[in-house]
Amino acid sequence: MKNFNTLKLLDLFKVFFEKAGIDYRMMRRILQVKLTMDGRRTSTVMSQNMGSNKKSDQNQFLKSLWFYAFIGLTLVPILFVGDNYMFQVSVITGVFMFLIMTTMISDFSSVLLDVRDQTILGTRPVNSKTISASKAMHVTIYLFFITVAIISTSLIIGTIRHGILFGVLMVLTILFSDLFILAITAMLYYVILKFFGGERLRDMINYVQIGLSITIVLGYQVVARAFEFVELEAQFTPEWWTLLLPPVWFSAPFAVVLNGETGTYYFILSALAVIVPVLSFVAYAKILPRYEENLVKLMDQTTKRSKQKRFDLFKRIASLATRSKEEHAFYRFAEKMLKNERELKLKIYPSLGFAMIFPFVFLYNNYSAAGSFDVLGEGRSYLSIYAALMMIPGVVIMLQYSSKNKGAWIYHVTPVTDLTNSIKGTLKALLIRLFLPLFSVLSIIYTVIFGIRIVPDLLIVFLVTFIYSVLCFKLIKGTLPFSEPFESSTQSDGWKTLPFVLLIPIFGLIHLGATFIPFGVWIYLLLAIVMTPLIWKLGLKRSPSV
Amino acid sequence: MEKQSDKVLSIKGLTKRYGDKLVLDEIDLDVYKGQIIGYIGPNGAGKSTTVKIMLGLEGSYEGDVEIFGESIKENNVDYKYRIGYVPEMADIYDNLSAREYLSFTGELYGLEPEKAETKARELMKIFDLEEVYDSRISSYSKGMKQKVLLISSLLHDPDLLFLDEPINGLDANSVMIFKEILAKLSEQGKTIFYSSHIMEVVEKISSRILLLNEGKIVADGSFEELRQKNKEGSLEEIFNQLTGFKEYKDLSEEFVQIVQRDKT
């Protein structure tokens, strides 16, 4: 096991730990083990792009720091927007706190919620203080790295521009906001565990992870456009509701010290900036022992029995959409997998978010060109809805994976004669349960913008989606759904989808062509209605042998 | 019968509640040196709760628990140097290799890192696991993981062992070695607390059997004693009798009937 530099650094503080009654040698050893294990797992930020070079013990986390540093870089321009510290610092701490909070939840919940610690460390002669301390230090080490990565550029440039005092205040602010976030995250978990139990908490963490993935990609979009807003007025007007925003609290001391602002409002804010983090941390320290006790709930797998509804809409849809018993079974199975498997959701749901957003990115560009909504509404920009199809290759390729892929033996021992049904059922479940709702929402918005006239076009797009997804299924060449471990997904998966993504503009162009021919759209629609079932029948055929 | 000084474990009036539910109801128990206790009972009888309390994983309970003559509430660390534990759920840091994991747990017990490592390697060799000593535990089979857990619980030569379904996944040959190890350890005066649902094994290895039902000890004695008292042939039958379970014939019949229904 490596002797981590981080730990050598920590050795400098040995005396403090020993003073606090912590067995330092033991804590160091536990941390060493934990850090080694972390080197063998991937973080959410990187798991989107990273292949499985799992062999090396290099900490993925350290690589993801570059990413945080990059985000930190984008904060720098804010320092040059006027001289109003309330604005500058609020924005910077706001972004900072958001990033830290989401990373804490998505990547370090495994640290905060590791129940194995209970049986492995709790039963050994290590006092509970040492165990808690090593847990806290473990999180602190990472928090420290991420903090430094995000903020150091802004801190240095801010100090140069606004002076030493700014730098000192900034360091304190960041320290307090870290403290605050650490405490409230832990307390959030505590509350959820206390009232809802482990499954709900795991779901919540999963959704935060999904949200983080979406935000990061969106972040690129926003940052790219952010420079357009640089001219915007950086004014700050005190309102009562700003008292509720932690980033505003943290910016108040800057305004008091550097802008020379006075008045009760600023003093209240500054007081909040100090008192709330301290109080929340004290509360956190108080509940920590009980927190560990509630953690046991995570091991408790029991969930409430769900009520069986008499009329289940999704059941009806499943029967309507499928043709044979086998296909029905696979449809229902895929439906449940897509709904319940957290790791699969983490890979798939962000793409859904992008599918929702990308059409509008294109639409926005066209809107800028058209100048007004009326002009836009008369044009053919509705074809930008094809951008929603961009998610399909990536999602289809993910359908072959599952974190519980070992369950795939079921395909081989059951007398399923025709595995075509497994593919049809899975694909239908994907299109109907995930794509259709999203497409419906898009369609409604588009119909509002472009009018009833585009309804046949939307129908075409929907049918084309079915054709397109059959083509995409060629990507996974006969691998059965949910039968491969995520670890076997590789970087090349992303490249493989590229040619399929490039098919989308072609579909769009064909459609565009049809709109110039009289009745072209109707003819195209008719053609699509005839072709879709045919392509499904022929395109998905595969030999019964596995 | 036994001497007071040989008392390893003493529980008095142990009561535990989860909310309104009474899990352990005034349990009294003394365990002496060299005993192999077969700790059995139906699911939810409170077996694992008792073990968790003794291991210090569960802090809130009523009553006294003394291990090696000291209350575990007052001194909750030192007694742990002398106990070993094999958890039922194979909780293990499986991103580590066996070498890393075993030397780590050894050090937690205060062993020298190098000594722990060589000792662990030799023990792994006996279980025929030397080649995988440096592979990650996540790649192990169930039985291999179980062997690592066993080694980890014994590495520091504890005086009191808590084993929860310890032979889960082991093959017959390994079980044989393992049973012999337990017998040897008990001869040397080590005490073993063995919980399991496999009655045949408990029947064979235990010198004393404790049957827990609904939070109470309903039977306590050697297998012979239990057999005489309850006039039943096997531990399984005694178990059924004492836990008041008689419907197994009806239930099994119903099960088969449902399976064979709707057959076309």
Side-chain angles (χ1 to χ4, degrees):
Chain A
M1 235 174 274
K2 272 202 308 191
N3 191 2
F4 294 89
N5 287 331
T6 324
L7 293 179
K8 285 181 197 156
L9 192 72
L10 197 65
D11 287 339
L12 299 175
F13 302 98
K14 189 176 170 185
V15 192
F16 295 104
F17 290 109
E18 282 174 346
K19 278 250 167 67
I22 290 156
D23 184 345
Y24 181 76
R25 209 178 56 90
M26 207 66 106
M27 184 182 89
R28 194 181 193 283
R29 189 72 179 93
I30 293 170
L31 282 173
Q32 191 186 16
V33 164
K34 295 279 184 179
L35 291 175
T36 307
M37 289 197 290
D38 292 338
R40 296 170 187 175
R41 90 191 151 91
T42 48
S43 75
T44 313
V45 175
M46 301 308 276
S47 63
Q48 288 286 318
N49 328 310
M50 274 293 150
S52 54
N53 32 6
K54 290 222 159 155
K55 295 277 145 52
S56 68
D57 252 13
Q58 202 172 18
N59 201 329
Q60 290 289 326
F61 171 78
L62 292 176
K63 283 188 197 156
S64 70
L65 282 182
W66 289 107
F67 177 79
Y68 287 105
F70 173 73
I71 296 188
L73 210 59
T74 62
L75 290 176
V76 173
I78 293 165
L79 287 167
F80 293 89
V81 185
D83 266 327
N84 190 314
Y85 292 107
M86 284 307 275
F87 172 79
Q88 292 182 6
V89 181
S90 298
V91 172
I92 291 174
T93 46
V95 173
F96 172 75
M97 287 173 75
F98 171 80
L99 281 173
I100 295 280
M101 180 97 190
T102 41
T103 330
M104 276 284 291
I105 293 177
S106 62
D107 288 352
F108 300 115
S109 21
S110 54
V111 174
L112 285 169
L113 301 174
D114 198 341
V115 282
R116 292 176 305 179
D117 286 355
Q118 282 257 323
T119 23
I120 297 175
L121 303 174
T123 57
R124 262 91 193 193
V126 186
N127 65 38
S128 52
K129 220 177 194 176
T130 308
I131 297 178
S132 308
S134 55
K135 213 171 209 173
M137 279 319 295
H138 188 192
V139 181
T140 310
I141 288 171
Y142 284 116
L143 207 55
F144 174 76
F145 277 121
I146 300 179
T147 304
V148 170
I150 297 176
I151 216 72
S152 48
T153 334
S154 312
L155 181 66
I156 293 166
I157 294 177
T159 313
I160 293 168
R161 185 172 144 81
H162 299 304
I164 288 288
L165 208 53
F166 178 90
V168 174
L169 272 177
M170 198 68 186
V171 170
L172 287 175
T173 301
I174 293 304
L175 212 68
F176 272 94
S177 48
D178 270 348
L179 209 63
F180 179 60
I181 284 164
L182 186 65
I184 58 169
T185 312
M187 280 196 285
L188 183 70
Y189 286 176
Y190 175 76
V191 170
I192 293 173
L193 274 177
K194 192 165 168 87
F195 294 107
F196 299 111
E199 281 303 293
R200 188 66 71 83
L201 183 62
R202 288 203 187 92
D203 274 339
M204 189 205 85
I205 292 167
N206 191 225
Y207 287 120
V208 172
Q209 287 173 326
I210 292 165
L212 180 66
S213 303
I214 295 178
T215 323
I216 281 168
V217 171
L218 263 188
Y220 283 122
Q221 294 290 325
V222 174
V223 167
R225 279 152 216 277
F227 294 97
E228 294 171 21
F229 305 125
V230 169
E231 301 300 319
L232 102 176
E233 193 130 347
Q235 275 305 318
F236 179 81
T237 35
E239 299 274 359
W240 67 268
W241 52 265
T242 51
L243 285 173
L244 302 174
L245 301 173
V248 179
W249 309 339
F250 291 118
S251 56
F254 289 83
V256 172
V257 176
L258 298 169
N259 283 43
E261 299 275 3
T262 46
T264 338
Y265 177 78
Y266 289 98
F267 290 133
I268 292 176
L269 282 179
S270 306
L272 283 174
V274 179
I275 293 169
V276 175
V278 170
L279 276 186
S280 53
F281 199 75
V282 170
Y284 164 68
K286 274 256 161 65
I287 61 165
L288 195 65
R290 267 185 293 158
Y291 173 75
E292 298 281 330
E293 247 171 61
N294 273 296
L295 269 189
V296 182
K297 268 200 186 172
L298 272 180
M299 288 192 266
D300 184 18
Q301 297 287 341
T302 50
T303 39
K304 272 188 201 147
R305 202 187 300 174
S306 57
K307 271 174 262 164
Q308 196 91 41
K309 271 182 281 178
R310 233 177 305 159
F311 177 78
D312 191 338
L313 176 68
F314 294 121
K315 242 183 191 165
R316 277 292 167 81
I317 294 175
S319 329
L320 282 176
T322 55
R323 296 212 166 160
S324 67
K325 260 189 201 167
E326 279 177 16
E327 195 187 330
H328 181 260
F330 281 112
Y331 177 96
R332 297 283 289 170
F333 170 61
E335 193 179 23
K336 294 283 178 256
M337 289 296 274
L338 291 170
K339 188 164 161 258
N340 291 339
E341 214 208 291
R342 295 199 180 90
E343 204 166 334
L344 197 64
K345 270 156 78 179
L346 181 57
K347 307 269 180 191
I348 288 179
Y349 281 34
S351 326
L352 291 180
F354 306 148
M356 190 75 208
I357 290 153
F358 281 137
F360 292 107
V361 173
F362 287 98
L363 204 57
Y364 177 79
N365 289 337
N366 290 355
Y367 167 75
S368 309
S372 80
F373 261 112
D374 290 333
V375 180
L376 181 76
E378 281 157 20
R380 291 187 172 85
S381 302
Y382 54 81
L383 291 177
S384 61
I385 203 168
Y386 272 100
L389 268 62
M390 277 166 69
M391 68 169 257
I392 289 179
V395 173
V396 165
I397 215 167
M398 277 300 151
L399 284 178
Q400 60 184 321
Y401 300 118
S402 164
S403 56
K404 300 278 180 287
N405 66 299
K406 285 187 180 144
W409 58 266
I410 199 92
Y411 295 118
H412 305 288
V413 299
T414 46
V416 177
T417 43
D418 189 357
L419 285 160
T420 314
N421 282 327
S422 77
I423 292 163
K424 273 190 187 166
T426 310
L427 213 48
K428 277 184 185 167
L430 168 72
L431 290 172
I432 293 171
R433 287 308 302 280
L434 293 183
F435 187 74
L436 185 58
L438 191 138
F439 188 73
S440 308
V441 174
L442 279 176
S443 298
I444 291 167
I445 300 172
Y446 268 61
T447 314
V448 170
I449 300 175
F450 295 97
I452 293 290
R453 70 186 173 97
I454 65 160
V455 171
D457 295 276
L458 293 175
L459 283 173
I460 292 173
V461 180
F462 188 61
L463 289 169
V464 164
T465 311
F466 272 77
I467 296 172
Y468 180 56
S469 55
V470 172
L471 295 179
C472 289
F473 220 84
K474 297 288 170 219
L475 268 173
I476 69 175
K477 289 189 198 99
T479 316
L480 290 168
F482 315 116
S483 64
E484 295 287 321
F486 280 111
E487 288 78 38
S488 70
S489 73
T490 53
Q491 192 116 38
S492 64
D493 273 0
W495 292 110
K496 269 189 251 161
T497 61
L498 198 64
F500 289 88
V501 173
L502 292 176
L503 282 176
I504 300 171
I506 297 174
F507 279 117
L509 283 175
I510 296 172
H511 195 152
L512 182 69
T515 59
F516 285 104
I517 305 166
F519 299 107
V521 171
W522 293 100
I523 296 166
Y524 192 19
L525 178 61
L526 209 66
L527 214 62
I529 292 172
V530 177
M531 289 296 285
T532 310
L534 271 176
I535 288 178
W536 267 69
K537 203 163 191 178
L538 300 173
L540 291 176
K541 194 155 251 171
R542 46 173 299 183
S543 54
S545 66
V546 185
Chain B
M1 46 187 172
E2 279 97 346
K3 277 184 292 172
Q4 197 62 24
S5 60
D6 284 346
K7 203 193 271 181
V8 174
L9 175 80
S10 164
I11 295 177
K12 279 193 196 77
L14 181 62
T15 304
K16 169 82 194 170
R17 272 172 245 271
Y18 285 118
D20 303 331
K21 210 177 137 213
L22 192 64
V23 187
L24 295 177
D25 187 4
E26 295 274 331
I27 296 223
D28 292 312
L29 174 66
D30 286 322
V31 176
Y32 297 90
K33 218 174 150 183
Q35 288 185 328
I36 299 183
I37 310 260
Y39 196 48
I40 57 176
N43 294 326
K47 287 189 314 270
S48 11
T49 311
T50 331
V51 173
K52 270 187 194 157
I53 288 173
M54 291 189 284
L55 289 164
L57 291 176
E58 195 80 65
S60 55
Y61 57 85
E62 294 155 46
D64 294 315
V65 180
E66 274 182 19
I67 294 180
F68 308 123
E70 262 192 280
S71 162
I72 61 166
K73 245 189 189 156
E74 273 149 38
N75 190 345
N76 59 15
V77 173
D78 285 341
Y79 78 97
K80 288 181 183 167
Y81 281 104
R82 293 170 63 194
I83 63 169
Y85 173 49
V86 174
E88 182 196 6
M89 304 285 224
D91 277 325
I92 196 164
Y93 294 143
D94 57 5
N95 277 339
L96 299 178
S97 66
R99 179 203 294 275
E100 289 163 340
Y101 181 75
L102 290 171
S103 67
F104 170 59
T105 53
E107 276 178 73
L108 290 179
Y109 286 112
L111 299 183
E112 288 295 316
E114 293 79 28
K115 273 190 194 148
E117 233 180 274
T118 25
K119 211 168 163 184
R121 177 200 289 279
E122 285 162 33
L123 293 174
M124 288 283 280
K125 195 177 170 188
I126 289 178
F127 277 130
D128 224 5
L129 290 177
E130 210 188 6
E131 302 95 83
V132 293
Y133 192 41
D134 282 307
S135 317
R136 299 212 185 142
I137 297 172
S138 52
S139 67
Y140 288 15
S141 72
K142 204 169 165 186
M144 288 154 84
K145 269 184 206 165
Q146 199 64 30
K147 288 173 187 173
V148 173
L149 285 168
L150 286 173
I151 293 172
S152 160
S153 74
L154 283 164
L155 205 57
H156 56 293
D157 190 24
D159 296 321
L160 174 59
L161 258 179
F162 293 97
L163 308 174
D164 203 345
E165 294 291 355
I167 57 167
N168 213 339
L170 293 190
D171 63 60
N173 296 338
S174 311
V175 170
M176 198 101 92
I177 305 176
F178 178 64
K179 280 194 210 159
E180 275 304 307
I181 294 173
L182 293 191
K184 284 253 155 56
L185 290 173
S186 127
E187 259 171 47
Q188 290 172 6
K190 312 278 186 196
T191 311
I192 293 154
F193 220 87
Y194 188 106
S195 17
S196 174
H197 292 294
I198 311 168
M199 292 302 129
E200 290 82 1
V201 179
V202 176
E203 183 182 315
K204 288 218 180 75
I205 64 163
S206 313
S207 61
R208 177 179 170 193
I209 291 169
L210 286 173
L211 176 56
L212 200 68
N213 193 30
E214 288 169 1
K216 286 192 176 107
I217 294 176
V218 291
D220 180 0
S222 69
F223 177 54
E224 281 309 314
E225 285 165 6
L226 294 192
R227 203 153 68 166
Q228 277 162 17
K229 214 183 260 170
N230 298 286
K231 305 184 180 65
E232 292 281 359
S234 72
L235 185 58
E236 194 173 33
E237 284 159 334
I238 297 171
F239 186 96
N240 291 346
Q241 195 196 26
L242 287 175
T243 52
F245 186 72
K246 293 178 204 78
E247 317 96 308
Y248 70 96
K249 277 209 169 119
D250 296 337
L251 285 177
S252 53
E253 193 147 315
E254 200 187 334
F255 190 98
V256 173
Q257 264 174 13
I258 295 173
V259 168
Q260 289 170 348
R261 194 169 65 191
D262 303 329
K263 199 142 191 192
T264 47

